Amino acid sequence: MKLFLITMLLVLSSQANADNYLEMKPIKMEVPEMKAELVNVSEVNVGLTEVPEMGMGQADEQEVNTTGMSLNMNKSSNTWKPDFAFFKSRTKEGLKPYKFMDDMTFAGVPLFIAGIIAKSEKNAFKQQTKHSLVTNFKTGIDDYTQFFGPAAVVGLKLGGYEGRSDWPRLLASAGMGYGIMALLVNTIKNSAKEMRPDGSTANSWPSGHTATAFVGATLLHKEYGLTRSPWFSVAGYGVATATGVMRVLNNRHWISDVLSGAGIGMVSGELGYALCDLLFKGKGLLRNDIYGSPSVIDHPSFFSISMGVGFGSRDLDFNMEEMGFAEDMNMKFKASTAVSAEGAYFFNPYIGVGGRLRVKSTPIKGWNNITDFAWQDVASIYEMTELDQEFMDDMETEINDVDFVIESDHLTEFAADLGAYFNLPLSDRFALGSKLLVGRSIMQELSLDAKMAGKEYKPGDTKGNPQGNEFSLEWDYFKVMANNTMKFGTGISLTYAYKKNFSWKVFLDYDVTRKKYTMEYNYGGIPLAMFPSAFENMTDQEYMDNFMMTKSINKTMHSFVLGASFAVNF
């Protein structure tokens, strides 16, 4: 009976519950109105009390426990804030202090020595009366690009982008670097007293603009290139190199001045940081260098900026005796200067592909021989006026000013190459390299212009006292040019990886090209200035046949470039 009563109770209860479900209405889902708002994600609690500092202070390469992650939307602690605390010292815990001379590479020493080797080029041009060196390239950009490095560092620092040092340590490192540079540059300038190529002042060697630019580039390299991204270093040293090139193109410095200035700038910048590492030790450090072991095995791909000195074929012999001259025009050249940007991508530690852009400038040895030859032409005209009264009476003008202007005192080659690159690791830090390249060679001409000015004779004027209009005449008196051709090259290099993503290279490159060199000698401007009416009905071909001499030779040119590179590996 008890079992029966319990069973009936369960059945009745089930029936009652079923009736309740029959009266239920379907559930209606209502989507609330959504409104987008910007919020600050400020705190991420990852279940650990603190993520320890490693090198750059980054935690993205460590394993962390994300259990219990929570977001706080109310406070802001990781926002990027400007940094104007110039006198407030800050030090991050857990960073490795730098030791004295820990980061010295002495990469500037070979650049300074290369400048001394190339220094003899300054004797290739001597200022004389009535001829000058005036290039067509003029720019004032180099007055500003010399400060690119410190401007970039200060801008990043003020914007709150954390670098290697806090403000007091940064300012001390920069001050010491610039102070050492200024002391070295001014001491050498005042001792050497080298004349500038434009003849303006005797303080050419070494280049102060270039030294200033490379101190700034080293500053950017130390603060952000080594601690943030290697491309900061590429930007800094690239702009510094461009500054040195512009000083040469502006005719304010010889290439030897620029090489030595670059070397002094790099050594000074590194010494400034080395002294501050000794004084400050771990105080004022905010970031260490990019952690990881240097390796040319893991990172053979590279982008580099290099400077070097060129040797090889250094003369062009134009056989002028065939044209009636008493002697040949044998042009000799001095050691050239090469500036390059080069890069390669490696498929494995051994083989890759890449390319190179290079500008190589080769100054002529002894412009005086050419200008002396030009002045002989002028002297012969005046000699005729003294010896031949009839010739003098026929003159239609009186020439009172003659000048010869060197528009380009060197042959400049612009070359672009592509090809295969090879790498043979000797250890984690050292590797031998080679390459096989093919490219295009474009030459810029060497040029000497002549200028003449005076007055025209009017009917009734006495000789030696012209009263007519003033005139001036300018023409290409002497030119040497070459055609654009294919070129082939190879080379060997020794790479030293001194930091992760950074290395120094010492290289010897060889290039060969066969070109047609053409010399144009145009002395027709002299009689044109003296007898303008005689040329009124003369055709261009008649003028060339009578007054222009052209001589061409074909020659295979061999070039060796010995230099050093700063490379970013990736």
Side-chain angles (χ1 to χ4, degrees):
M1 181 61 68
K2 290 180 181 179
L3 180 60
F4 175 80
L5 291 176
I6 292 172
T7 302
M8 291 300 295
L9 181 61
L10 292 173
V11 170
L12 291 174
S13 299
S14 300
Q15 181 66 36
N17 289 334
D19 291 340
N20 291 335
Y21 280 104
L22 290 174
E23 296 177 359
M24 292 181 65
K25 295 181 180 181
I27 299 175
K28 294 182 179 179
M29 301 295 293
E30 293 183 3
V31 180
E33 183 179 353
M34 306 287 289
K35 183 179 179 181
E37 293 182 0
L38 293 174
V39 296
N40 289 324
V41 181
S42 59
E43 291 185 359
V44 180
N45 183 359
V46 295
L48 297 175
T49 57
E50 181 181 1
V51 178
E53 297 281 356
M54 290 184 63
M56 290 171 54
Q58 296 172 335
D60 54 341
E61 296 192 18
Q62 303 180 74
E63 291 185 4
V64 295
N65 182 5
T66 58
T67 305
M69 180 178 291
S70 62
L71 301 181
N72 186 329
M73 313 292 266
N74 297 323
K75 291 188 285 183
S76 177
S77 62
N78 290 331
T79 54
W80 193 356
K81 296 179 180 179
D83 184 359
F84 296 103
F86 301 106
F87 306 104
K88 182 179 180 181
S89 179
R90 293 191 298 126
T91 302
K92 280 196 173 181
E93 299 297 331
L95 296 183
K96 174 188 173 184
Y98 291 89
K99 298 179 181 179
F100 178 59
M101 307 290 280
D102 197 18
D103 274 347
M104 284 292 295
T105 65
F106 299 100
V109 175
L111 286 176
F112 182 78
I113 295 174
I116 296 177
I117 294 173
K119 189 171 174 289
S120 60
E121 72 176 274
K122 296 173 183 175
N123 297 323
F125 175 80
K126 297 179 181 179
Q127 291 291 325
Q128 292 184 353
T129 305
K130 288 303 180 186
H131 77 268
S132 55
L133 172 60
V134 180
T135 58
N136 290 324
F137 184 92
K138 295 294 179 185
T139 181
I141 299 176
D142 49 341
D143 291 331
Y144 304 98
T145 55
Q146 63 175 320
F147 303 114
F148 171 79
V153 170
V154 171
L156 291 167
K157 190 76 172 167
L158 289 176
Y161 194 61
E162 195 174 76
R164 181 188 200 251
S165 314
D166 66 355
W167 276 110
R169 184 166 181 153
L170 169 63
L171 295 175
S173 300
M176 287 188 180
Y178 281 105
I180 295 171
M181 179 273 297
L183 178 64
L184 292 174
V185 167
N186 288 295
T187 300
I188 297 174
K189 278 180 178 287
N190 294 328
S191 301
K193 298 186 182 299
E194 293 285 351
M195 184 65 67
R196 293 181 183 269
D198 61 2
S200 58
T201 55
N203 61 346
S204 186
W205 182 69
S207 169
H209 277 64
T210 308
T212 301
F214 273 86
V215 172
T218 303
L219 190 69
L220 182 60
H221 167 65
K222 293 283 191 180
E223 286 295 324
Y224 291 100
L226 290 174
T227 65
R228 287 288 193 171
S229 169
W231 295 108
F232 285 110
S233 301
V234 172
Y237 285 115
V239 174
T241 302
T243 301
V245 172
M246 284 187 285
R247 296 304 288 169
V248 175
L249 295 177
N250 270 335
N251 196 30
R252 294 291 292 164
H253 281 289
W254 309 96
I255 191 63
S256 55
D257 306 339
V258 168
L259 289 171
S260 295
I264 290 174
M266 293 182 71
V267 170
S268 299
E270 290 187 339
L271 280 175
Y273 271 84
L275 292 174
C276 283
D277 290 340
L278 177 65
L279 296 175
F280 285 84
K281 295 183 171 59
K283 186 178 180 180
L285 281 181
L286 302 180
R287 302 178 77 86
N288 279 142
D289 292 353
I290 299 172
Y291 43 86
S293 300
S295 174
V296 291
I297 299 176
D298 298 333
H299 304 283
S301 300
F302 71 91
F303 174 82
S304 68
I305 297 171
S306 66
M307 300 181 72
V309 180
F311 307 94
S313 302
R314 295 166 62 179
D315 71 287
L316 292 173
D317 190 2
F318 294 96
N319 187 0
M320 302 298 290
E321 292 181 350
E322 298 177 355
M323 305 170 67
F325 286 80
E327 57 184 22
D328 288 345
M329 180 65 72
N330 188 5
M331 303 183 65
K332 295 185 179 296
F333 295 89
K334 300 188 71 64
S336 58
T337 302
V339 179
S340 309
E342 189 171 12
Y345 174 78
F346 280 80
F347 306 108
N348 53 52
Y350 309 102
I351 300 176
V353 294
R356 181 185 66 195
L357 296 174
R358 171 171 285 171
V359 179
K360 187 174 68 173
S361 175
T362 308
I364 190 173
K365 184 178 181 179
W367 262 113
N368 296 325
N369 296 333
I370 299 175
T371 54
D372 288 347
F373 190 78
W375 280 108
Q376 291 176 12
D377 288 341
V378 176
S380 63
I381 297 295
Y382 282 97
E383 184 178 354
M384 289 182 65
T385 62
E386 295 175 358
L387 300 177
D388 192 334
Q389 184 64 42
E390 184 178 354
F391 179 86
M392 179 178 173
D393 292 339
D394 291 337
M395 288 177 56
E396 302 174 34
T397 63
E398 180 75 22
I399 299 173
N400 52 39
D401 189 21
V402 181
D403 193 9
F404 290 97
V405 180
I406 302 173
E407 293 286 346
S408 175
D409 68 329
H410 48 266
L411 285 176
T412 301
E413 180 188 42
F414 302 88
D417 304 277
L418 295 172
Y421 283 74
F422 308 98
N423 184 64
L424 178 61
L426 303 178
S427 67
D428 282 345
R429 287 178 177 260
F430 287 93
L432 288 175
S434 185
K435 55 199 169 189
L436 293 174
L437 302 177
V438 60
R440 190 73 174 171
S441 170
I442 302 173
M443 299 294 293
Q444 183 187 48
E445 65 186 24
L446 177 150
S447 176
L448 176 70
D449 288 359
K451 293 182 178 181
M452 288 191 173
K455 276 189 175 184
E456 298 176 347
Y457 282 105
K458 295 193 305 183
D461 288 346
T462 58
K463 291 300 176 181
N465 187 28
Q467 300 297 318
N469 298 324
E470 293 185 353
F471 76 93
S472 62
L473 183 65
E474 181 176 353
W475 74 97
D476 294 331
Y477 177 83
F478 181 85
K479 287 197 304 185
V480 175
M481 64 203 85
N483 62 329
N484 303 330
T485 59
M486 297 293 293
K487 62 185 292 290
F488 304 91
T490 184
I492 57 173
S493 63
L494 176 64
T495 301
Y496 168 67
Y498 85 102
K499 293 283 184 182
K500 181 183 179 182
N501 300 115
F502 295 98
S503 62
W504 296 105
K505 292 176 180 282
V506 178
F507 64 89
L508 177 64
D509 288 348
Y510 167 74
D511 294 282
V512 60
T513 181
R514 184 168 179 81
K515 288 183 174 291
K516 180 180 180 180
Y517 293 89
T518 302
M519 184 195 70
E520 289 185 358
Y521 167 57
N522 179 5
Y523 63 94
I526 299 175
L528 175 60
M530 304 176 75
F531 309 101
S533 62
F535 291 79
E536 290 179 354
N537 299 320
M538 185 176 292
T539 64
D540 292 342
Q541 187 60 48
E542 290 174 336
Y543 177 87
M544 294 178 63
D545 292 341
N546 287 278
F547 300 106
M548 182 177 290
M549 296 183 179
T550 303
K551 178 71 174 181
S552 296
I553 58 173
N554 294 311
K555 184 167 184 178
T556 300
M557 301 295 281
H558 304 272
S559 173
F560 296 89
V561 176
L562 176 65
S565 301
F566 170 78
V568 175
N569 298 91
F570 54 91

